[in-house]
Amino acid sequence: MFATYVTLTIVAAFFSGSAAVTYLIGHDYPKAQAEMKRLPQSWVPRLGATLAAGSLGLLAGFAVPIVGTLAAAGLVLYFTGALIAHLRVGSRQLVGWAVFFVTMVTTLVVNVAYHW
């Protein structure tokens, strides 16, 4: 169980951390996604900061387990919001979202199972 917990946490932290970097450096993909979902461009850095906080929280969970659990829960909520944003505009491009969402939900479940 420990190996699964560590592996999933690192993978989830990498996924959310790499997404955060693309949002924070001003890459075109997050800007296009925000435009497609009719979100203000001013939200892009904030969304990136949220992803970065989630990534760092997952890693901090190795030292303080409740922080990792809360970070995983927060990322699940973040990607639930992303699904709502997709569906609100009629987007059916959900493969990327599904990979992130399933990774975060699995990380949360394993985190809870391992620590509590």
Side-chain angles (χ1 to χ4, degrees), residues 64-78:
V64 183
I66 190 68
V67 173
T69 303
L70 292 172
L75 287 166
V76 168
L77 291 174
Y78 176 94

Side-chain angles (χ1 to χ4, degrees), residues 36 38 83-94:
M36 182 266 298
R38 292 186 230 134
L83 174 64
I84 292 167
H86 273 280
L87 297 177
R88 181 176 61 91
V89 296
S91 171
R92 300 294 183 248
Q93 300 172 358
L94 299 174

Side-chain angles (χ1 to χ4, degrees), residues 13-89:
F14 176 77
F15 278 11
S16 60
S18 59
V21 168
T22 62
Y23 275 69
L24 293 172
I25 65 171
H27 194 273
D28 290 337
Y29 181 74
K31 291 177 183 177
Q33 286 293 305
E35 185 176 317
M36 182 266 298
K37 294 172 192 148
R38 292 186 230 134
L39 299 174
Q41 290 296 317
S42 64
W43 285 24
V44 173
R46 292 180 183 128
L47 293 171
T50 303
L51 286 166
S55 180
L56 293 173
L58 287 173
L59 296 175
F62 288 127
V64 183
I66 190 68
V67 173
T69 303
L70 292 172
L75 287 166
V76 168
L77 291 174
Y78 176 94
F79 287 105
T80 300
L83 174 64
I84 292 167
H86 273 280
L87 297 177
R88 181 176 61 91
V89 296

